[in-house]
């Protein structure tokens, strides 16, 4: 089973993907997390990707496709979070899977208004050590600014500033939103109201996924 999580930055894809993979045994593949790890470790990929990410632009398709290809075929149950983000990525994913007799099963669209997104992204804090995601208001850690899981001091992502958020939203509209029609035509799209609370949204998500089994 291969699920794609589609939606603007800050819609809650990563939060829900973590919860669902823990409960139902999916492998959570987040291209954003993988790229941030590559930047942190200053790998050749990370060095190339950094300037795009800092600006809020997409990293070139060929780099991202090669990165995903290495991991996705190894897994049976996968959540692709933040990939594909362009038509070129989506068609290349389809043909890669087809060669192995597989396909994307369902695409979950996280629907949310822009004002809500800005609130979510400016309040987002992450653990630089284990990648856990928090929100100052909506999902605060038990101890102020400290990761519940590993005790590390939380940080704000470099691209979660108003200016870069605006750029990322523009990029989403220009390059990613057309995937909604792409997957609608394949009859794979399921839309969720991502403005609900984390728990309510999770209930809707689980129901949508379990209906597919
Ligand atoms: P968000 O959590 O805000 O949706 P991500 O963590 O998914 O953002 O992505 C952060 C940045 O990493 C993006 O702005 C982009 O530069 C890069 N990136 C992540 N996934 C992709 C992808 N599939 N294609 C191109 N660039 C990507
Ligand atoms: P994405 O992966 O789509 O960029 P995240 O899962 O990182 O989104 O969520 C963005 C921010 O909003 C995080 O700070 C997260 O704690 C918070 N958040 C996630 N889902 C919800 C929700 N349903 N309601 C309120 N805040 C949320």
């Amino acid at each position: 089973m291969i699920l794609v999580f589609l939606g603007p930055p800050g819609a809650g894809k990563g939060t829900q993907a973590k919860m669902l993979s823990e409960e139902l045994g999916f492998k959570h593949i987040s291209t954003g997390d993988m790229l941030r790890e590559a930047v942190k470790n200053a790998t050749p990929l990370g060095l190339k990707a950094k300037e795009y990410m800092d600006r809020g632009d997409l990293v070139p398709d060929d780099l991202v496709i090669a990165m995903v290809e290495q991991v996705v075929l190894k897994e049976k149950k996968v959540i692709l979070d933040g990939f594909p983000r362009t038509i070129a990525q989506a068609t290349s994913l389809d043909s890669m899977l087809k060669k192995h007799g597989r396909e994307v099963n369902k695409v979950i669209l996280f629907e949310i208004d822009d004002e809500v997104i800005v609130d979510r992204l400016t309040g987002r804090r992450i653990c630089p050590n284990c990648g856990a995601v928090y929100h100052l208001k909506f999902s605060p850690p038990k101890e102020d600014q400290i990761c519940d899981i590993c005790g590390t001091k939380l940080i704000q992502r470099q691209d979660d500033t108003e200016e870069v958020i605006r750029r990322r939203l523009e990029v989403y509209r220009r390059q990613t939103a057309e995937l909604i029609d792409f997957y609608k035509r394949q009859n794979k799209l399921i839309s969720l109201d991502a403005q609900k609370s984390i728990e309510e949204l999770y209930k809707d998500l689980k129901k949508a996924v379990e209906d597919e089994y």
Side-chain angles (χ1 to χ4, degrees):
M1 166 97 116
I2 299 177
L3 299 177
V4 168
F5 281 14
L6 179 63
K13 303 179 298 296
T15 300
Q16 298 293 328
K18 285 199 177 81
M19 292 164 75
L20 196 69
S21 28
E22 246 167 56
E23 190 176 343
L24 298 182
F26 281 87
K27 169 78 178 175
H28 175 204
I29 298 178
S30 157
T31 45
D33 286 349
M34 291 168 80
L35 288 166
R36 275 185 293 282
E37 192 62 26
V39 170
K40 194 166 90 183
N41 296 328
T43 67
L45 169 67
L47 294 175
K48 283 186 208 144
K50 187 176 186 317
E51 57 171 310
Y52 297 96
M53 297 171 77
D54 285 348
R55 281 200 306 264
D57 283 334
L58 295 183
V59 174
D61 287 332
D62 53 340
L63 298 179
V64 183
I65 290 166
M67 179 179 85
V68 170
E69 204 163 12
Q70 284 172 19
V71 287
V72 78
L73 290 170
K74 289 194 215 142
E75 307 290 338
K76 283 207 175 72
K77 288 175 76 176
V78 179
I79 297 173
L80 285 172
D81 163 15
F83 180 92
R85 258 178 157 95
T86 61
I87 295 283
Q89 291 179 16
T91 49
S92 128
L93 175 68
D94 278 356
S95 58
M96 172 180 89
L97 292 173
K98 201 168 171 204
K99 276 189 215 147
H100 294 83
R102 302 177 70 184
E103 63 174 341
V104 168
N105 298 89
K106 283 291 159 195
V107 177
I108 312 286
L109 175 65
F110 289 67
E111 289 190 305
I112 185 168
D113 291 341
D114 281 7
E115 308 86 82
V116 185
I117 289 177
V118 175
D119 264 4
R120 287 201 186 166
L121 291 181
T122 48
R124 175 159 66 182
R125 295 294 181 273
I126 63 161
C127 174
N129 179 48
C130 74
V133 177
Y134 300 89
H135 191 283
L136 293 180
K137 260 192 289 182
F138 308 129
S139 183
K142 293 193 184 82
E143 201 182 324
D144 188 39
Q145 305 279 349
I146 301 291
C147 179
D148 290 348
I149 298 164
C150 70
T152 307
K153 183 152 183 9
L154 303 181
I155 58 162
Q156 185 164 25
R157 260 171 57 173
Q158 244 176 19
D159 57 350
D160 279 345
T161 57
E162 279 221 49
E163 192 194 342
V164 185
I165 291 170
R166 240 177 282 124
R167 173 73 192 152
R168 283 155 63 206
L169 286 176
E170 198 185 304
V171 166
Y172 175 79
R173 268 185 227 107
R174 227 187 38 234
Q175 294 180 272
T176 307
E178 54 191 345
L179 290 177
I180 297 171
D181 274 338
F182 179 89
Y183 285 119
K184 234 185 231 165
R185 281 198 297 274
Q186 293 191 2
N187 233 344
K188 291 182 176 165
L189 200 78
I190 299 173
S191 299
L192 297 182
D193 176 3
Q195 308 211 142
K196 293 186 179 179
S197 71
I198 293 177
E199 289 71 28
E200 280 177 313
L201 178 56
Y202 186 62
K203 271 189 212 146
D204 293 352
L205 171 66
K206 238 177 89 175
K207 188 168 181 316
V209 172
E210 281 169 349
D211 285 348
E212 288 308 312
Y213 277 108

